[in-house]
Amino acid sequence: MLNHKLITKQTGAAGKEVTAVYIVERRDADKEAYVAILMDRAKQTPMIVASSQGGMDIEGVAEKDPSAIKTFPVPLDANLSQDKATEIASVLGFSKDAIPEAAKTIQGLFKCFIERDCTQVEINPLSETPDHKVLAMDAKLGFDDNASFRQEEVYSWRDPTQEDPKEAEAAKYGLNFIKLDGNIANIVNGAGLAMATMDIIKLNGGEPANFLDCGGTATPETIEKAFELILSDKKVNGIFVNIFGGIVRCDYVAKGLIAATKNFQLEIPVVVRLQGTNMAEAKKLIEESGLKLFAFENLDSAAEKIVELAPKN
């Protein structure tokens, strides 16, 4: 397997190169269950999800048999009691002999979720062996990047070989970047606005080339870095900048746009839609730059323009 590409649902069609192999003892399973701990954003509390149908695609289980998925909210400021852990373990379909150990395992998982600032702890399958031992035979954990300063040990385990190099480079500058297959690149502040921007590009007949959220940290330097990332994609023949200046200052964005346009000697069209803090100053900077930047205040008009100027390849 080493140095070969592994293609699964998780890797996508491009696959991932195998750089390490984890070898464990083989154990048989009499019963496979599913346990996950996530944050329920609506209730603002951890939620334990459990099912007796483990070892398979849990989304498929939820679609075919929703009643097989059980949920258990746990107050954020509370420990998972023995009684609650036993209640959860009892829905996993394990034998009576395995339930006490399953409950102890679930308590340990919840402790890990809280102490390690997890956003997700998923065990699929959590298995009962023929001798009634309870083993986590596969696991997936996610961690809150905002708590990385508290979790230095966890983040020291990070394997950059399994990450997209461009996405990892973007993260160093506070940019959230995901490459897509289209031709119109976009630079936006805020994940929701980024999704809406991609939608309006498609609505007007275009294809977005990326998701790029510069968040509240947009400066001339980060805007220039964003251009560097998106211009490395040779399919890009147009750039749509859609910034709503609340925390972000529009004049900072405009300075970054002007610097990037000059430094990269851009020949492809750049449509800019800026709204919010220091919008008038930003518009003046763009107009006086003498560069081929198309400034708009209306989102629909801006989207129509970039699709017109950057037809599909």
Side-chain angles (χ1 to χ4, degrees), residues 44-98:
Q44 297 186 355
T45 187
M47 180 73 71
I48 299 179
V49 182
S51 175
S52 61
Q53 298 184 33
M56 61 185 77
D57 176 15
I58 197 65
E59 288 82 5
V61 173
E63 184 177 349
K64 294 178 182 177
D65 185 10
S67 63
I69 309 293
K70 309 296 183 184
T71 58
F72 303 86
V74 182
L76 190 59
D77 58 353
N79 293 319
L80 184 63
S81 69
Q82 181 66 41
D83 288 345
K84 177 62 73 172
T86 301
E87 179 188 354
I88 298 167
S90 298
V91 308
L92 299 178
F94 289 172
S95 69
K96 290 183 179 179
D97 292 332

Side-chain angles (χ1 to χ4, degrees), residues 191-224:
L193 186 59
M195 297 298 291
T197 301
M198 291 190 293
D199 284 345
I200 201 166
I201 288 172
K202 288 187 71 70
L203 183 65
N204 283 277
E207 287 294 334
N210 65 272
F211 171 102
L212 199 158
D213 169 22
C214 60
T217 61
T219 64
E221 292 75 23
T222 57
I223 293 296
E224 194 166 348

Side-chain angles (χ1 to χ4, degrees), residues 36 45 66 82 109 126 193 207 232 236-237 259 292 294:
T45 187
Q82 181 66 41
L109 293 173
L126 182 67
L193 186 59
E207 287 294 334
S232 64
V236 169
N237 63 353
K292 197 174 181 181
F294 300 87

Side-chain angles (χ1 to χ4, degrees), residues 163-183:
E163 300 178 30
D164 183 285
K166 292 180 182 177
E167 292 179 19
E169 181 69 12
K172 294 178 183 178
Y173 292 85
L175 303 170
N176 296 309
F177 175 79
I178 300 173
K179 186 181 179 304
L180 302 174
D181 294 327
N183 62 296

Side-chain angles (χ1 to χ4, degrees), residues 228-246:
E228 181 182 329
L229 287 166
I230 60 182
L231 290 172
S232 64
D233 182 353
K234 302 305 179 186
K235 291 172 63 177
V236 169
N237 63 353
I239 300 173
F240 185 21
V241 181
N242 185 17
I243 299 292
F244 183 83

